[in-house]
Every structure is written in structure tokens, then in C-alpha cells.
Amino acid sequence: MMEKVAEVFMNYGIDEAYKAPSILMNILFDKEVRERLFKDLLIAHDHDMSYDWFYEYFQDEHADRKKKKQDFTPKCVGELLSRLALTGDGDPGNYYECCAGTGSIMITHWDNHRRMYSPSTYRPSQHFAHLEELSDRTVPFLLLNMMVRGVNGVVVQGDTLRRTCKAAYFVCNVKDDHMDFSGISVFPHTKEVERLLNVKFISEQRLEHKELMPIETIEMLLNTSFKER
């Protein structure tokens, strides 16, 4: 599995693993290039989106097990957590996870949730993920995993306990089509966004990217979504 990822990455200038996070982050903000990458990854993995393709690649090449005790949740545990979330109280399509890593548990939940519907009735808007992750090396993989699957959601890059935030991203499947990819916008570092996401920005905004819709529309959608859920 790791070899498939590395082979695809080679075609995008990622000839050494340490280059992957920064190159992937740049690719995600170029619609034409990222969708070509998405299609190449889908072909390499036989269009099976039920699991995290980067599980082995990230753990072997990027996880800091010694200093930060980073390790992946076993698939069987992720499956159990997903089943509990789907059968518990509340909206099963509403998903929150702190320390989300590259999104392997989120993918399991998303896959199990979509299988509750038929392909003709499922819509990406029926699932919304709010994910939080601190690592600069991890966030690009997390965003890619959401976007290639057409997931809707928010990614907060920051400290979950202190509520300090480096950056925040809005991912949306604008066509609400489960066969389509998601786009991405970067939240501006404003007081309104801090209140919306319950965070405190601690760094200057590194990137402006308003691909999807005006930030006012995004804030309105999220306010409505959070109230409903």
C-alpha cells in the first residue's frame, strides 16, 4: 500500500517523504492539479475509498513516535468507534474528532454512514465533519482525505485543549454530488471566525484562498449547521 502512494507522489515532485506535506498543501489549492492527483490515487487504489490510503505511508515516514507518541488507531478500534457514533443519540451524520490525524477514523465513519443510504439517495450534505489536528505534517493528508471523498466539513489546525489555532479550513462539496470532489477555502483570522469555531488565532494568516463562496456565506452555513446539530 505504501508503495502505491509513493509511486503516485513521485509524479508530483514528491521524491522524498519529507517533501510530501508542503507539496501536498500547495497542490490542494490548485484545482486542476489536485483533481489530477485525486484521480491518480483513486486508480492506484482501485477506487476503494473505505480506508485511509496513507495509513502506512504516514506512520512509517512522518509519525513522531518517540517524542510525540504519534501512532495510528488500529482499524478495528476505528470501526468500533464508528459503530458507536452511528447508533448513539443525535444525528449520525454529525461527526466531531479531535486529534484527527490523517482522518482514518473519520473515513471509517463516513464510509459506514454513506452505506446507510442507496447510491441514488445519498448526498454529501447528509454528513458533516468537524476535525481538529495540530501537526503541520498531518493536516495536508487530512484535507486531501476529505476532499477526494467529497466530504463537507471544517478542519481546525490547533491545540484542542487550549483552543489556540494556527489555521482553519472549510471543505465543501458544492454540487452535493457523491461522485464529485470537495473544494477548499481558508478561514480569515477574524474575531467572527474565532467566535464561530471557538478558537484563538495565534499566528498571522499565511494563506488567503477563497475558492468556494464568500466567507459571509460560509459563516452563515456553519452557524445554521451548528445550531441544527
Side-chain angles (χ1 to χ4, degrees):
M1 204 62 62
M2 182 175 168
E3 291 76 13
K4 291 181 180 180
V5 171
E7 185 176 342
V8 172
F9 279 179
M10 281 286 292
N11 296 325
Y12 292 84
I14 305 174
D15 53 357
E16 295 186 60
Y18 77 89
K19 298 179 181 179
S22 59
I23 292 179
L24 284 180
M25 202 61 163
N26 289 329
I27 288 175
L28 292 180
F29 295 106
D30 184 323
K31 188 174 187 295
E32 181 179 347
V33 178
R34 78 175 181 236
E35 293 195 353
R36 188 164 69 245
L37 170 62
F38 292 170
K39 291 172 183 177
D40 287 345
L41 286 168
L42 283 166
I43 291 170
H45 296 91
D46 300 318
H47 289 79
D48 184 354
M49 297 187 290
S50 65
Y51 66 100
D52 182 3
W53 303 326
F54 308 116
Y55 187 101
E56 294 178 9
Y57 180 86
F58 189 89
Q59 184 159 271
D60 288 349
E61 301 290 348
H62 294 279
D64 190 342
R65 290 175 167 178
K66 185 175 182 180
K67 292 183 179 179
K68 298 182 179 178
K69 309 301 180 184
Q70 290 178 323
D71 212 335
F72 273 56
T73 304
K75 185 172 178 56
C76 59
V77 176
E79 184 68 31
L80 174 61
L81 293 172
S82 171
R83 295 297 179 182
L84 289 172
L86 289 172
T87 57
D89 295 334
D91 181 358
N94 182 30
Y95 183 81
Y96 168 78
E97 184 182 353
C98 61
C99 307
T102 58
S104 57
I105 302 178
M106 179 276 297
I107 291 170
T108 301
H109 181 271
W110 165 82
D111 186 55
N112 286 332
H113 179 261
R114 68 174 178 150
R115 292 177 188 277
M116 296 169 61
Y117 302 83
S118 70
S120 61
T121 61
Y122 179 72
R123 295 289 179 269
S125 57
Q126 294 166 308
H127 185 274
F128 187 89
H130 181 113
L131 306 174
E132 301 185 356
E133 171 58 39
L134 180 59
S135 171
D136 291 328
R137 290 185 294 181
T138 308
V139 167
F141 291 92
L142 176 59
L143 290 169
L144 191 160
N145 270 330
M146 295 177 71
M147 295 170 70
V148 73
R149 290 168 175 81
V151 171
N152 293 319
V154 169
V155 171
V156 173
Q157 183 181 359
D159 189 312
T160 295
L161 297 178
R162 294 184 175 89
R163 305 310 302 162
T164 52
C165 180
K166 296 181 180 180
Y169 307 90
F170 178 62
V171 174
C172 183
N173 187 320
V174 177
K175 295 181 181 178
D176 204 16
D177 181 350
H178 71 279
M179 298 294 290
D180 199 28
F181 301 127
S182 295
I184 185 170
S185 283
V186 179
F187 280 106
H189 291 194
T190 64
K191 296 296 182 183
E192 290 76 12
V193 173
E194 287 183 335
R195 285 194 293 269
L196 179 65
L197 301 179
N198 186 28
V199 298
K200 177 67 176 178
F201 288 112
I202 57 171
S203 60
E204 294 184 2
Q205 188 164 359
R206 295 172 292 178
L207 176 70
E208 290 189 15
H209 188 79
K210 304 173 182 178
E211 174 184 321
L212 296 172
M213 56 195 75
I215 188 61
E216 293 80 12
T217 305
I218 294 175
E219 291 175 4
M220 181 183 69
L221 289 172
L222 291 182
N223 271 314
T224 302
S225 178
F226 291 162
K227 287 177 183 178
E228 289 178 349
R229 298 172 186 275

